[in-house]
Amino acid sequence: MEHTPGPAGMPEMPSTESAVTAIRAVAERYGHQVTIEHAIGADESSRRTAAGAFAVTDEDGSLPHEALLEIPAAESPLSPEIAVQVFAEGDAHITLDGITFHDVPRERAPAFLETVFDGRARVKLTWYPPYCRLIVALPGDRTYKEVVPMAHGGLSRWMNTLTP
């Protein structure tokens, strides 16, 4: 994954819950339904596999909170199937039609989704050598790029609409 540096003017999101609220607001503003699953506690968190037996808090006494938000694909206007996994450490994994953007700061997740819903994401395709990338450029010169593997199904219906 490549990150193009951008300004530090991100809105503050001190918790997983604040990120969930902002992401849900963006999805609802564009008419998309969101299902949310919360994982609260070290015994529920996916990144706390070393937590001791019956441990609910981290060693520092904090209670980790993760959330998984799922936004189903829409037919009109065509949009991807989206999953956003927000972690207690301040990052998120955003998956668009099976392509995962890792380590997106949770403060950037709402802007990331706005870019996708506004139709400003794009696909860059080269024929020789054969290569495909899904590109999401956020306001303020921040760009996220991920390789789209062409061997296993290639482009989804939504990604086909993004090609020039």
Side-chain angles (χ1 to χ4, degrees):
M1 172 179 53
E2 295 177 24
H3 299 283
T4 306
M10 296 186 294
E12 179 117 4
M13 289 191 196
S15 67
T16 298
E17 191 59 38
S18 61
V20 167
T21 301
I23 292 167
R24 181 181 12 202
V26 168
E28 289 174 353
R29 188 169 61 243
Y30 286 91
H32 297 278
Q33 295 182 351
V34 181
T35 58
I36 304 169
E37 293 180 30
H38 294 275
I40 300 173
D43 58 337
E44 296 290 323
S45 177
S46 65
R47 291 188 175 170
R48 304 298 198 289
T49 56
F54 308 110
V56 178
T57 61
D58 282 342
E59 291 179 8
D60 65 355
S62 64
L63 191 63
H65 177 197
E66 294 179 5
L68 174 65
L69 294 89
E70 295 179 324
I71 304 168
E75 290 296 320
S76 177
L78 192 61
S79 69
E81 183 174 311
I82 301 171
V84 181
Q85 191 171 8
V86 182
F87 297 101
E89 292 82 10
D91 65 320
H93 292 177
I94 301 176
T95 305
L96 306 173
D97 278 350
I99 307 301
T100 302
F101 293 82
H102 296 274
D103 302 324
V104 176
R106 69 176 163 214
E107 291 83 9
R108 295 207 185 263
F112 190 102
L113 293 181
E114 282 185 17
T115 299
V116 170
F117 292 143
D118 279 344
R120 292 181 281 143
R122 63 188 173 95
V123 169
K124 183 176 182 180
L125 188 63
T126 60
W127 294 105
Y128 190 80
Y131 196 71
C132 185
R133 280 196 172 180
L134 178 57
I135 302 169
V136 180
L138 305 185
D141 273 352
R142 181 62 131 196
T143 302
Y144 294 93
K145 302 175 184 179
E146 284 295 333
V147 174
V148 178
M150 299 301 285
H152 301 286
L155 299 176
S156 67
R157 284 184 55 215
W158 171 73
M159 283 186 252
N160 270 319
T161 66
L162 306 177
T163 57

